DNA sequence: CGGGATCCTGTATGATACTG
DNA sequence: CAGTATCATACAGGATCCCG
């Protein structure tokens, strides 16, 4: 209530409908590679080459990178410029829209880094608690050596 | 304002490494259901019941919802409270951390709604351009009709 | 170098049924 | 109601090979 956004609860309800167009947009951003590519391009501040992105994003395959870039290009978040030089040279740059989206994905990336430690701690904690032998019952051994 | 740890380009580089812990966090948020659940809880402003979430998030299966909530709980973003009433009643609430994360995912959801029209237009445009007949080549297909 | 096209497998996700 | 357990499968994603 304290936050003043232009979207109303009614808009949100529509968002949750599986046929809401915005869902396809969310799903574009809510995918690790799409998110990383956008964040990387935004942080880099200038166009990047295909291989540059590939090298930066550890673990991404050529297929996934191509696929991701295509999807982003298709939705108007990045532009693809081909320089017909001898060794082909293709650069990807963010559009205005892409920069905006990049701000959001960048924020997630940054937040994740800043809270990774805390979250991983909570995770270990949870796992430990779940690993406690299932034996709360009975006055038998307080500590079932199991 | 939260303690803003100045992120440097070097930090980012680490982010892109597949073994960077933050990646697991990103992947928690960068998934449509996780994103929607967080956003929904945040927008709702108060705890929600399992079935409430299920009804709201059109298309989510009980399995996915459970799985998503578990993951969020594990990472300390939501708390799970069970009221041992006759018909079981379980409520999910955001933790402080969850509220923060929710701000980010909410932002993505909101942005997606606000730009869906524009993005879908770009998408149609792209598809149309791609659909241009692969060259109404004149006489005798120059290329092997495969 | 920057992909396109294939092939192939693991996992994510869905559908269904059962339980406390 | 709020799950857990199972089974079935679609699709994401990895590995390869090839081409302009």
């Amino acid at each position: 209530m304290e936050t003043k956004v232009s979207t109303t609860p009614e808009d949100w309800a529509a968002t949750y409908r599986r046929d809401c167009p915005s869902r396809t947009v969310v799903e574009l951003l809510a995918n690790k590679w799409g998110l990383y590519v956008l964040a990387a391009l935004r942080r880099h501040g200038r166009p990047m080459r295909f291989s540059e992105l590939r090298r930066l994003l550890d673990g991404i395959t050529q297929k996934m990178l191509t696929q991701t870039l295509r999807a982003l290009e298709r939705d108007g978040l990045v532009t693809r410029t081909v320089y017909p030089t001898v060794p082909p040279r293709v650069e990807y740059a963010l559009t205005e829209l892409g920069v905006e989206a990049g701000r959001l994905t960048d924020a997630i990336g940054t937040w994740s880094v800043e809270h990774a430690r805390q979250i991983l701690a909570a995770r270990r904690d949870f796992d430990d608690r779940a690993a406690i032998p299932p034996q709360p019952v009975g006055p038998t051994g307080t500590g079932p050596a199991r």
Side-chain angles (χ1 to χ4, degrees), chain A residues 20-139:
Chain A
C20 177
S22 79
R23 271 213 181 178
T24 67
V25 179
V26 169
E27 279 155 46
L28 177 72
L29 307 179
N31 125 295
K32 72 173 180 178
W33 293 129
L35 188 146
Y36 282 138
V37 167
L38 281 180
L41 281 173
R42 192 181 112 84
R43 290 164 179 173
H44 201 250
R46 57 207 152 93
M48 292 179 77
R49 299 186 57 174
F50 185 86
S51 49
E52 212 172 346
L53 279 167
R54 170 146 64 157
R55 255 175 284 113
L56 182 63
L57 306 180
D58 185 35
I60 196 171
T61 61
Q62 161 274 330
K63 179 182 177 180
M64 280 300 100
L65 181 53
T66 298
Q67 190 174 303
T68 301
L69 285 169
R70 279 276 186 276
L72 293 174
E73 183 194 1
R74 181 163 101 111
D75 283 7
L77 299 190
V78 307
T79 59
R80 177 171 178 273
T81 311
V82 181
Y83 297 90
T85 61
V86 159
R89 175 194 182 81
V90 182
E91 289 197 339
Y92 292 90
L94 291 179
T95 61
E96 284 236 356
L97 214 54
V99 173
E100 278 190 47
R103 265 213 320 269
L104 302 175
T105 62
D106 190 351
I108 285 192
T110 301
W111 188 87
S112 296
V113 170
E114 294 171 353
H115 298 78
R117 182 179 286 275
Q118 181 176 359
I119 289 181
L120 291 186
R123 192 179 299 179
R124 275 192 300 275
D125 223 54
F126 183 91
D127 291 345
D128 286 350
R129 240 175 295 129
I132 291 174
Q135 67 61 69
V137 195

